[in-house]
């Protein structure tokens, strides 16, 4: 069996909504999820809007701590593919790539070394020297994707994206993700679209009412 | 335990990220205005000019040393109050990033404090030029300056960190903090020296760390005497304890912030 990257064991999470000073309403989102992610695995999680998919990814990425249960990371570099994290419209492409890369988890030195690769991948040419405020949304997305890809993560967590820029760039970015997965990077993709999940992943689980629905357990993901 | 990272690794990453955010923040800030980096000099110069006109020229208040006394007070008070104000909002402003990436919450107030620290270095250089041109020429006492400066950093860090940490729980602080800072300005001897205060209240002034620091700056820069080292030593001990307390608070609450901000 390939290396175990991430382990979730009976994870629970409840949001608390404050109604007034003393009264709160509790809204359980994750009700006992257990799953393992191994190296090279491509796991799809299907759920409708508001099912708690993004919350689940945030738990995996270590942004949230669970209320109960445990999320154990076995030394994997987990990257929640958060495009354009920390982008500043008043800085140029180079500075934004550097800043975003460091926020995502690179050291300043690593980020500097990877700037050239990022520049090549995003195909922005001389416009890298312009401030981000002048970019079109497609150009921003390309830069964001190039930085996220340069992370060289062990586990990529993807929330509905992979539709970046125009047709050509989309194909290129899909290829790049596939290449990373073939190199041994694991991937968890959450989506409400079964077609997308079928195309991208090798096992799909349905996620409803805070639990991974039992019908999909036999697919060998646990 | 989520990621396997040694403590020293985590701390050096925290500082690295905060530093880069500070530098990039300064760069971005300067591009947002026409004068750009010049504002770093113009803004404090404007403040100094206003206070100089009001107190030094119009009111003709105080003795010969009063203008220099006032300028030193203003420069260091403004640094303290600005750092606290900027740091206090840092976690709320960083909301988007905290929900996107597993970042240590301490990065947000720290990068604001670093940003104000970098600007302050320039302001201090200007202050020293002004003092020299007023006839307060540099002496060996000026060599003590970095020690007092460092003490002020040790005061700003936990104060700013604490206010930033509390802000998401008590949003009302947004109103309370500026009011408290205003009050603190009048209690910290920015405008008056301890001679104006009855002897029986001096112990109260000495409990105020900002007052102690401002007096120490004045001792070395214009009065050409040693600062009150006993006082500063006890201040250092208290500040170290305060810093440790706030760091402990952050390492305890760090990962709860994403939830608190979301809820």
């Amino acid at each position: 069996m390939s290396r175990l990257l991430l382990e979730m064991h009976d994870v629970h999470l409840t949001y608390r909504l404050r109604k007034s000073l003393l009264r709160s309403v509790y809204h359980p989102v994750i009700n006992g999820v257990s799953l393992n992610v191994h190296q090279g695995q491509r796991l799809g999680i299907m759920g409708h809007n508001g099912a708690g998919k993004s919350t689940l990814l945030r738990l995996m990425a270590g942004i949230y701590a669970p209320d109960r249960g445990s999320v154990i990371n076995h030394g994997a570099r987990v990257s929640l593919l958060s495009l354009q994290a920390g982008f500043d419209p008043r800085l140029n492409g180079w500075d934004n790539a550097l800043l975003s890369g460091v926020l995502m988890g690179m050291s300043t030195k690593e980020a500097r070394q990877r700037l050239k690769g990022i520049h090549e991948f995003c195909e922005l040419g001389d416009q890298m020297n312009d401030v981000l405020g002048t970019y079109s949304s497609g150009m921003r997305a390309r830069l964001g994707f190039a930085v996220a890809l340069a992370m060289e993560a062990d586990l990529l967590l993807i929330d509905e994206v992979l539709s970046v820029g125009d047709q050509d760039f989309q194909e290129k970015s899909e290829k790049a993700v596939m290449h990373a997965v073939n190199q041994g990077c694991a991937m968890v993709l959450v989506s409400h679209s079964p077609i997308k999940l079928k195309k991208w992943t090798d096992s799909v689980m349905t996620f409803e009412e805070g639990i991974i629905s039992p019908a999909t357990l036999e697919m060998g993901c646990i | 335990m989520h990621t396997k990272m040694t403590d020293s690794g985590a701390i050096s990453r925290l500082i690295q990220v905060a530093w880069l955010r500070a530098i990039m923040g300064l760069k971005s800030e300067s591009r947002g205005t026409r004068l750009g980096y010049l504002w770093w000099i113009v803004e404090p110069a404007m403040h100094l000019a206003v206070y100089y006109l009001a107190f030094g020229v119009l009111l003709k208040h105080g003795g010969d040393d009063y203008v220099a006394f006032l300028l030193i007070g203003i420069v260091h008070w403004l640094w303290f109050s600005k750092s606290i104000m900027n740091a206090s909002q840092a976690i709320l402003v960083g909301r988007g990033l905290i929900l996107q990436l597993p970042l240590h919450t301490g990065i947000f107030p720290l990068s604001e404090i670093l940003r104000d620290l970098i600007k302050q270095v320039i302001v201090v250089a200007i202050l020293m030029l002004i003092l020299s041109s007023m006839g307060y020429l540099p002496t060996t006492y000026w060599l003590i300056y970095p020690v007092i400066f460092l003490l002020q950093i040790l005061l700003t860090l936990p104060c700013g960190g604490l206010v930033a940490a509390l802000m998401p729980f008590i949003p009302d602080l947004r109103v309370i903090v500026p009011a408290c800072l205003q009050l603190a300005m009048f209690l910290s001897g920015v405008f008056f020296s301890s001679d104006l205060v009855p002897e029986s209240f001096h112990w109260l002034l000495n409990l105020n760390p900002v007052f102690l620091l401002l007096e120490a700056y004045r001792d070395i820069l214009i009065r050409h005497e040693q600062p009150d080292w006993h006082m500063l030593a006890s201040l250092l001990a208290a500040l170290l304890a305060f810093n440790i307390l706030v760091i402990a608070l952050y390492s305890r609450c760090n990962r709860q912030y994403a939830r608190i901000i979301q809820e």
Side-chain angles (χ1 to χ4, degrees), chain A residues 13-16 58 60-65 67 71 73 80 82 85-86 88 90 95 102-103 105-106 108, chain B residues 1-3 13 16-17 20-21 24 27-29 31-32 97-103 255 258-259 262-263:
Chain A
L13 188 140
T14 302
Y15 283 124
R16 194 173 82 164
R58 281 183 186 151
M60 289 182 177
I63 295 169
Y64 290 158
D67 292 333
V71 179
N73 178 328
L80 178 59
S82 37
D88 183 329
R90 294 197 292 223
D95 286 342
V102 170
L103 287 170
M106 299 178 209
T108 313
Chain B
M1 191 197 70
H2 190 266
T3 41
R13 159 133 178 99
Q16 206 175 45
V17 178
L20 188 72
R21 282 194 82 227
M24 290 300 172
K27 230 177 183 178
S28 161
E29 195 184 316
R31 297 228 173 109
L97 273 179
I98 291 176
L99 288 173
Q100 262 184 316
L101 296 167
L103 293 167
R255 288 188 58 213
R259 296 278 300 278
Q262 175 71 21
E263 287 160 9

Coordinates of all heavy atoms in Angstrom, one line a residue, chain A residues 13-16 58 60-65 67 71 73 80 82 85-86 88 90 95 102-103 105-106 108, chain B residues 1-3 13 16-17 20-21 24 27-29 31-32 97-103 255 258-259 262-263:
Chain A
L13 N -17.9 18.4 13.5 CA -17.8 19.9 13.6 C -19.2 20.5 13.6 O -20.0 20.2 12.7 CB -16.9 20.4 12.4 CG -16.5 21.9 12.5 CD1 -15.1 22.1 12.1 CD2 -17.4 22.8 11.7
T14 N -19.4 21.5 14.5 CA -20.6 22.2 14.6 C -20.4 23.7 14.6 O -19.6 24.1 15.4 CB -21.3 21.8 15.9 OG1 -21.5 20.4 16.0 CG2 -22.7 22.5 16.1
Y15 N -21.1 24.4 13.7 CA -21.0 25.8 13.8 C -21.9 26.4 14.8 O -23.0 25.8 15.0 CB -21.4 26.4 12.4 CG -20.3 26.3 11.4 CD1 -20.6 25.6 10.2 CD2 -19.1 26.8 11.5 CE1 -19.7 25.5 9.2 CE2 -18.1 26.7 10.6 CZ -18.4 26.0 9.4 OH -17.5 25.9 8.4
R16 N -21.5 27.4 15.5 CA -22.4 28.0 16.5 C -22.8 29.4 15.9 O -21.9 30.2 15.6 CB -21.7 28.2 17.8 CG -22.6 28.5 18.9 CD -21.9 28.5 20.2 NE -21.2 29.8 20.4 CZ -20.8 30.2 21.6 NH1 -20.9 29.5 22.7 NH2 -20.2 31.4 21.7
R58 N -11.5 22.3 4.6 CA -10.8 23.1 5.5 C -10.3 22.3 6.7 O -9.2 22.6 7.2 CB -11.7 24.3 6.0 CG -11.8 25.4 5.0 CD -12.6 26.5 5.5 NE -12.8 27.5 4.5 CZ -13.8 28.3 4.4 NH1 -14.8 28.3 5.3 NH2 -13.9 29.2 3.4
M60 N -9.4 19.2 6.4 CA -8.2 18.4 5.8 C -7.0 19.3 5.8 O -5.9 18.9 6.0 CB -8.6 17.9 4.4 CG -9.6 16.8 4.4 SD -9.8 16.2 2.7 CE -10.9 14.9 3.0
A61 N -7.2 20.6 5.4 CA -6.1 21.5 5.2 C -5.5 22.0 6.5 O -4.5 22.6 6.6 CB -6.5 22.7 4.4
G62 N -6.3 21.7 7.7 CA -5.8 22.2 8.9 C -6.1 23.6 9.3 O -5.6 24.2 10.1
I63 N -7.1 24.1 8.5 CA -7.6 25.5 8.8 C -8.5 25.4 10.0 O -8.5 26.3 10.9 CB -8.3 26.1 7.6 CG1 -7.2 26.3 6.5 CG2 -8.9 27.4 7.9 CD1 -7.8 26.6 5.1
Y64 N -9.4 24.5 10.0 CA -10.3 24.2 11.2 C -9.7 23.1 12.0 O -9.2 22.1 11.5 CB -11.7 23.8 10.8 CG -12.5 24.9 10.1 CD1 -13.6 24.6 9.3 CD2 -12.2 26.3 10.3 CE1 -14.3 25.5 8.7 CE2 -13.0 27.2 9.7 CZ -14.0 26.9 8.9 OH -14.8 27.8 8.3
A65 N -9.9 23.2 13.3 CA -9.7 22.1 14.2 C -11.1 21.4 14.5 O -12.1 22.1 14.6 CB -9.1 22.5 15.5
D67 N -14.2 19.6 16.3 CA -14.8 19.6 17.7 C -14.5 18.3 18.4 O -14.2 18.2 19.6 CB -16.3 19.9 17.7 CG -16.6 21.2 17.2 OD1 -15.8 22.1 17.4 OD2 -17.7 21.4 16.6
V71 N -7.9 14.7 13.1 CA -7.3 14.8 11.7 C -5.8 14.7 11.8 O -5.2 15.5 12.5 CB -7.7 16.2 11.0 CG1 -7.1 16.2 9.6 CG2 -9.2 16.4 11.0
N73 N -2.2 14.4 10.1 CA -1.4 14.6 8.9 C -0.1 13.9 9.1 O 0.7 14.3 10.0 CB -1.2 16.1 8.7 CG -0.4 16.5 7.4 OD1 0.5 15.7 7.1 ND2 -0.7 17.6 6.8
L80 N -4.6 23.4 0.0 CA -6.0 23.7 -0.5 C -5.8 24.7 -1.6 O -5.3 25.8 -1.5 CB -6.7 24.4 0.7 CG -8.2 24.8 0.4 CD1 -9.0 23.6 0.0 CD2 -8.8 25.5 1.7
S82 N -6.2 27.3 -3.2 CA -6.9 28.5 -3.0 C -6.3 29.5 -4.0 O -5.2 30.1 -3.7 CB -6.8 29.0 -1.6 OG -5.5 28.6 -1.1
A85 N -4.6 33.6 -3.4 CA -4.6 33.9 -2.0 C -3.7 35.0 -1.7 O -2.5 35.0 -2.1 CB -4.2 32.6 -1.2
G86 N -4.1 36.1 -1.1 CA -3.3 37.2 -0.7 C -2.9 38.1 -1.8 O -2.0 38.9 -1.6
D88 N -2.7 41.2 -4.1 CA -2.9 42.7 -3.8 C -2.9 43.4 -5.2 O -1.9 43.3 -5.9 CB -1.7 43.1 -3.0 CG -1.8 44.6 -2.6 OD1 -2.4 45.4 -3.3 OD2 -1.3 44.9 -1.5
R90 N -2.3 46.3 -6.0 CA -1.4 47.4 -6.2 C 0.1 46.9 -6.4 O 1.0 47.7 -6.6 CB -1.4 48.4 -5.0 CG -2.8 49.1 -5.0 CD -2.7 50.4 -4.1 NE -2.5 50.0 -2.7 CZ -3.2 50.6 -1.7 NH1 -4.0 51.6 -2.0 NH2 -3.0 50.3 -0.5
D95 N 5.7 40.3 -7.5 CA 5.5 40.5 -6.0 C 4.3 39.6 -5.5 O 4.4 39.0 -4.5 CB 5.3 41.9 -5.7 CG 6.5 42.7 -5.7 OD1 7.6 42.1 -5.8 OD2 6.5 44.0 -5.8
V102 N 4.5 32.3 -0.6 CA 5.0 32.2 0.7 C 3.8 32.0 1.7 O 3.9 31.2 2.6 CB 5.8 33.5 1.2 CG1 6.0 33.5 2.7 CG2 7.1 33.5 0.4
L103 N 2.7 32.7 1.4 CA 1.5 32.4 2.2 C 1.0 31.0 2.1 O 0.6 30.4 3.1 CB 0.4 33.4 1.8 CG 0.5 34.8 2.2 CD1 -0.5 35.7 1.5 CD2 0.4 35.0 3.7
G105 N 2.8 28.4 1.8 CA 3.6 27.5 2.5 C 5.1 27.4 2.0 O 5.9 26.7 2.6
M106 N 5.4 28.1 1.0 CA 6.8 28.0 0.5 C 7.7 28.9 1.5 O 7.1 29.9 2.0 CB 7.0 28.6 -0.9 CG 6.3 27.8 -1.9 SD 6.5 28.7 -3.5 CE 5.0 28.3 -4.4
T108 N 10.6 31.9 1.7 CA 10.8 33.0 0.7 C 11.8 32.6 -0.3 O 11.7 32.9 -1.5 CB 11.3 34.3 1.5 OG1 10.5 34.4 2.7 CG2 11.3 35.5 0.7
Chain B
M1 N -2.7 17.6 16.9 CA -1.5 17.9 16.2 C -1.8 17.7 14.7 O -2.3 16.7 14.3 CB -0.4 17.0 16.6 CG 1.0 17.5 16.0 SD 2.2 16.2 16.1 CE 1.6 15.1 14.9
H2 N -1.6 18.7 13.9 CA -1.9 18.6 12.5 C -0.6 18.4 11.6 O -0.5 17.4 10.9 CB -2.7 19.7 12.0 CG -3.3 19.5 10.7 ND1 -2.7 19.9 9.6 CD2 -4.4 18.8 10.3 CE1 -3.4 19.6 8.5 NE2 -4.4 18.9 8.9
T3 N 0.2 19.4 11.7 CA 1.4 19.3 10.9 C 2.6 19.0 11.8 O 2.6 19.5 12.9 CB 1.6 20.6 10.1 OG1 1.4 21.7 10.9 CG2 0.8 20.6 8.9
R13 N 9.1 30.4 10.5 CA 8.1 30.6 9.3 C 7.2 31.8 9.6 O 6.9 32.6 8.8 CB 7.3 29.3 9.1 CG 6.0 29.5 8.4 CD 5.8 28.5 7.3 NE 4.5 28.8 6.7 CZ 4.3 29.5 5.6 NH1 5.3 30.0 4.9 NH2 3.1 29.7 5.1
Q16 N 9.0 34.9 9.0 CA 9.3 35.1 7.6 C 8.1 35.6 6.9 O 8.2 36.5 6.1 CB 9.7 33.7 7.0 CG 10.6 33.8 5.8 CD 11.1 32.5 5.4 OE1 10.3 31.5 5.3 NE2 12.4 32.4 5.1
V17 N 6.9 35.0 7.1 CA 5.7 35.4 6.5 C 5.3 36.8 6.9 O 4.9 37.6 6.0 CB 4.6 34.4 6.8 CG1 3.3 34.8 6.1 CG2 4.9 33.0 6.3
L20 N 7.6 39.4 5.1 CA 7.3 39.6 3.7 C 6.0 40.3 3.5 O 5.9 41.2 2.7 CB 7.2 38.2 3.0 CG 7.0 38.3 1.5 CD1 8.3 38.8 0.9 CD2 6.6 37.0 0.8
R21 N 5.0 40.0 4.4 CA 3.7 40.7 4.3 C 3.9 42.2 4.6 O 3.3 43.1 4.0 CB 2.7 40.2 5.3 CG 2.0 38.9 4.8 CD 0.8 38.6 5.6 NE -0.3 39.3 5.2 CZ -1.2 40.0 6.0 NH1 -1.0 40.1 7.3 NH2 -2.2 40.6 5.5
M24 N 5.7 43.9 1.6 CA 4.8 44.0 0.5 C 3.7 45.0 0.8 O 3.2 45.7 -0.1 CB 4.2 42.6 0.1 CG 5.2 41.6 -0.5 SD 5.8 42.3 -2.0 CE 7.1 41.1 -2.4
K27 N 5.1 48.4 0.2 CA 5.2 48.6 -1.2 C 3.8 49.0 -1.8 O 3.7 50.0 -2.5 CB 5.7 47.3 -1.9 CG 6.8 47.5 -2.8 CD 7.2 46.2 -3.4 CE 8.4 46.2 -4.2 NZ 8.9 44.9 -4.7
S28 N 2.8 48.2 -1.4 CA 1.5 48.4 -1.9 C 0.9 49.8 -1.5 O 0.3 50.5 -2.2 CB 0.6 47.3 -1.4 OG -0.8 47.6 -1.5
E29 N 1.2 50.1 -0.2 CA 0.7 51.3 0.4 C 1.3 52.5 -0.4 O 0.6 53.5 -0.7 CB 1.2 51.4 1.9 CG 0.5 52.4 2.7 CD 1.2 52.3 4.1 OE1 1.4 51.2 4.7 OE2 1.4 53.4 4.7
R31 N 2.3 52.7 -3.4 CA 1.7 52.8 -4.8 C 0.3 53.4 -4.8 O -0.2 53.8 -5.8 CB 1.7 51.4 -5.4 CG 3.1 50.9 -5.6 CD 3.4 50.4 -7.0 NE 4.8 50.0 -7.1 CZ 5.2 48.7 -7.2 NH1 4.3 47.7 -7.2 NH2 6.5 48.5 -7.2
G32 N -0.3 53.4 -3.6 CA -1.7 53.8 -3.6 C -1.8 55.4 -3.5 O -2.9 55.9 -3.6
L97 N -7.9 35.4 4.2 CA -6.7 34.6 4.2 C -6.7 33.5 5.3 O -6.4 32.3 5.0 CB -5.4 35.4 4.4 CG -4.8 36.0 3.2 CD1 -3.6 36.8 3.6 CD2 -4.4 34.9 2.2
I98 N -7.3 33.8 6.4 CA -7.3 32.9 7.5 C -8.2 31.7 7.2 O -8.0 30.6 7.5 CB -7.8 33.6 8.8 CG1 -6.7 34.6 9.3 CG2 -8.1 32.6 9.9 CD1 -7.1 35.4 10.5
L99 N -9.3 32.0 6.4 CA -10.2 31.0 6.0 C -9.7 30.2 4.8 O -10.2 29.1 4.5 CB -11.6 31.6 5.6 CG -12.4 32.1 6.8 CD1 -13.6 32.8 6.4 CD2 -12.7 30.9 7.7
Q100 N -8.7 30.7 4.1 CA -8.2 30.1 2.9 C -7.0 29.2 3.1 O -6.8 28.2 2.5 CB -7.7 31.1 1.9 CG -8.8 31.4 0.8 CD -8.2 32.4 -0.2 OE1 -7.5 33.4 0.2 NE2 -8.4 32.2 -1.5
L101 N -6.2 29.6 4.1 CA -4.9 28.9 4.2 C -4.6 28.7 5.7 O -5.0 29.4 6.6 CB -3.7 29.8 3.7 CG -3.8 30.0 2.2 CD1 -2.8 31.2 1.8 CD2 -3.4 28.8 1.4
P102 N -3.9 27.6 6.0 CA -3.6 27.3 7.4 C -2.4 28.2 7.9 O -1.3 27.7 8.0 CB -3.2 25.8 7.4 CG -2.8 25.5 6.1 CD -3.5 26.5 5.1
L103 N -2.7 29.4 8.2 CA -1.7 30.3 8.6 C -1.7 30.6 10.1 O -2.8 30.5 10.7 CB -1.8 31.7 7.9 CG -1.6 31.7 6.4 CD1 -2.2 33.0 5.8 CD2 -0.1 31.6 6.1
R255 N -5.7 28.0 16.3 CA -6.5 27.4 15.3 C -8.0 27.6 15.5 O -8.8 27.1 14.8 CB -6.1 25.9 15.2 CG -4.8 25.7 14.6 CD -4.4 24.3 14.3 NE -5.4 23.7 13.4 CZ -5.7 22.4 13.5 NH1 -5.1 21.7 14.5 NH2 -6.5 21.8 12.7
A258 N -10.1 30.6 12.8 CA -10.8 30.4 11.6 C -12.3 30.2 11.9 O -13.2 30.7 11.2 CB -10.2 29.2 10.8
R259 N -12.6 29.4 12.9 CA -14.0 29.1 13.3 C -14.6 30.4 13.8 O -15.8 30.7 13.4 CB -14.0 28.1 14.4 CG -13.5 26.7 13.9 CD -14.5 26.0 13.2 NE -15.7 25.7 14.0 CZ -15.8 24.7 14.9 NH1 -14.8 23.9 15.0 NH2 -16.9 24.5 15.6
Q262 N -15.4 32.8 11.1 CA -16.5 32.2 10.2 C -17.8 32.3 10.9 O -18.8 32.7 10.2 CB -16.2 30.7 9.9 CG -17.2 30.0 9.1 CD -17.3 30.5 7.7 OE1 -16.3 31.1 7.2 NE2 -18.4 30.3 7.0
E263 N -17.9 32.1 12.2 CA -19.2 32.1 12.9 C -19.6 33.5 13.2 O -20.6 33.9 13.3 CB -19.1 31.2 14.2 CG -19.0 29.8 13.9 CD -18.4 28.9 15.0 OE1 -18.2 29.5 16.1 OE2 -18.2 27.7 14.8

